[in-house]
Amino acid sequence: MLKNKVALITGAGSGIGRATALLFTKNGASVVVADIDEKAGKQTVAAIKRAKGKAIFVKTDTSLPVDCKNAVDQTIAEYKKLDIAVNNAGIGGQQAKTGNYDLAEWEKVISINLSGVFYGMHYQLPAMVKNKGGVVVNMASILGAVGTAMSPAYVSAKHGVIGLTKASALEYAKKNIRINAVGPGYIQTPLVKENLNKKQLKELESLHPMGRLGQPEEIAELLLWLCSEKSSFVTGSYYNADGGYLAQ
Ligand code: NAD
């Protein structure tokens, strides 16, 4: 579905980003794995190469504009163009009430989860205009549509990602560039597993009408569709894969 396409995926060292990088390369894309964690990013590249796919690693901190520019520059240096960008890198951040939330932590979560998506698109979109087309998918969350207590920065950033996605989609709709956001429910990745104990995990499962958490591969499939020609009339939208969470 992505034959001859070049995809830049941030946060592809783990979880949803890694599953997406693997699925995209299985579908013919060449992938740039952009992650702050060099070891994890290189492991993703090694897994892709074992499966006979094409990928390179570019160390990237998406909260730094200079790194986001470098990721695009390296993509073009290696593969000559940029067709697809998945702005997926994100962190969970502190769990605390707004009145107790650490101010530096607020800045950190916003700078990675929201500004990082803006910095990414700021450099990706001109490259796509040059390429006469492209597709961007930004990683939001169900928490881009509804709130949850104790994560004010995360919830704010994810709501922001959906607004930013709509604004940019309108700006580039006539340039053959589609821009969408996705909103997973809770997915079994280190981001969730490392922050919760068994009891909390059980409680989380019960919040999903399907009675379980999602798998990273289930989000990768949605991303594949959104980044392929199969979704050619879809732009400015926000798609959930959440086991029914938001239907309640
Ligand atoms: P994860 O922790 O498994 O992977 C995140 C990856 O991003 C890691 O490889 C990490 O090194 C990288 N990263 C972190 N900060 C970075 C930075 N500043 N620059 C570049 N890379 C950075 O997490 P995941 O669950 O796969 O989450 C991926 C995205 O999906 C995030 O944006 C997250 O908010 C979103 N999301 C996750 C869930 C979930 O339940 N896991 C649900 C909804 C949305």
Side-chain angles (χ1 to χ4, degrees):
M1 263 161 91
L2 301 181
K3 202 161 176 269
N4 298 325
K5 299 291 182 191
V6 176
L8 167 59
I9 306 176
T10 70
S14 173
I16 296 169
R18 175 176 285 183
T20 303
L22 282 161
L23 186 64
F24 280 21
T25 48
K26 270 187 200 141
N27 279 272
S30 301
V31 163
V32 175
V33 171
D35 203 291
I36 197 169
D37 183 336
E38 189 160 352
K39 191 169 163 212
K42 286 185 170 168
Q43 280 170 355
T44 299
V45 169
I48 290 170
K49 291 200 166 149
R50 277 197 300 277
K52 307 263 180 278
K54 276 196 211 154
I56 59 165
F57 171 72
V58 178
K59 188 172 163 69
T60 309
D61 178 350
T62 58
S63 70
L64 302 176
V66 65
D67 278 20
C68 293
K69 179 178 188 305
N70 182 56
V72 172
D73 290 348
Q74 294 298 316
T75 303
I76 289 163
E78 180 74 18
Y79 296 122
K80 313 288 177 239
K81 59 173 184 165
L82 175 65
D83 299 301
I84 296 165
V86 179
N87 293 306
N88 160 78
I91 58 169
Q94 186 191 12
Q95 298 246 311
K97 285 187 188 169
T98 301
N100 301 330
Y101 208 83
D102 183 70
L103 298 183
E105 185 74 2
W106 165 270
E107 293 293 342
K108 185 177 175 192
V109 173
I110 296 296
S111 74
I112 298 172
N113 290 12
L114 177 56
S115 300
V117 175
F118 170 74
Y119 299 147
M121 286 201 291
H122 179 72
Y123 295 108
Q124 294 152 6
L125 290 168
M128 288 180 179
V129 169
K130 236 184 213 170
N131 190 35
K132 303 212 179 322
V135 193
V136 177
V137 180
N138 296 323
M139 185 54 66
S141 160
I142 46 172
L143 300 179
V146 297
T148 189
M150 312 293 279
S151 288
Y154 189 90
V155 169
S156 302
K158 295 302 186 184
H159 275 69
V161 165
I162 294 171
L164 172 60
T165 299
K166 290 178 187 171
S168 319
L170 297 175
E171 294 159 3
Y172 289 86
K174 289 208 168 64
K175 294 278 180 197
N176 193 30
I177 299 172
R178 299 183 297 105
I179 308 173
N180 293 289
V182 298
Y186 288 88
I187 308 300
Q188 273 200 338
T189 70
L191 186 139
V192 166
K193 283 189 274 188
E194 281 165 14
N195 290 314
L196 300 173
N197 60 37
K198 268 211 171 118
K199 186 168 166 270
Q200 288 170 316
L201 267 178
K202 275 265 160 268
E203 275 168 20
L204 263 193
E205 283 170 10
S206 72
L207 294 176
H208 298 74
M210 288 179 84
R212 65 173 177 88
L213 302 191
Q215 295 300 321
E217 293 74 17
E218 294 179 290
I219 306 306
E221 291 289 349
L222 174 58
L223 286 160
L224 175 63
W225 179 73
L226 280 171
C227 290
S228 77
E229 281 299 312
K230 304 241 179 214
S231 60
S232 51
F233 198 50
V234 177
T235 196
S237 287
Y238 163 58
Y239 278 80
N240 295 107
D242 66 357
Y245 188 106
L246 288 179
Q248 300 171 97

Coordinates of all heavy atoms in Angstrom, one line a residue, residues 19 59 93 156 181 190:
A19 N 5.6 -0.1 15.9 CA 4.6 -1.0 15.2 C 4.3 -0.4 13.9 O 4.2 -1.1 12.8 CB 3.3 -1.2 16.0
K59 N 18.6 10.5 15.2 CA 18.4 10.9 16.6 C 17.7 12.3 16.6 O 18.2 13.3 16.0 CB 19.7 11.0 17.4 CG 19.5 11.2 18.9 CD 20.8 11.1 19.6 CE 20.8 11.6 21.0 NZ 20.0 10.9 22.0
G93 N 3.9 12.2 31.2 CA 4.0 13.3 32.1 C 3.5 13.0 33.5 O 3.0 11.9 33.8
S156 N -4.4 18.8 27.7 CA -4.3 20.1 27.0 C -3.5 19.9 25.7 O -4.0 20.4 24.6 CB -3.6 21.1 27.8 OG -4.3 21.3 29.0
A181 N -5.6 13.5 12.4 CA -5.1 13.1 13.7 C -5.8 11.8 14.1 O -6.9 11.4 13.6 CB -5.5 14.1 14.7
P190 N 4.9 0.6 26.6 CA 5.7 1.0 27.8 C 5.1 2.3 28.4 O 5.1 2.4 29.7 CB 7.1 1.3 27.3 CG 7.2 0.4 26.1 CD 5.8 0.3 25.5

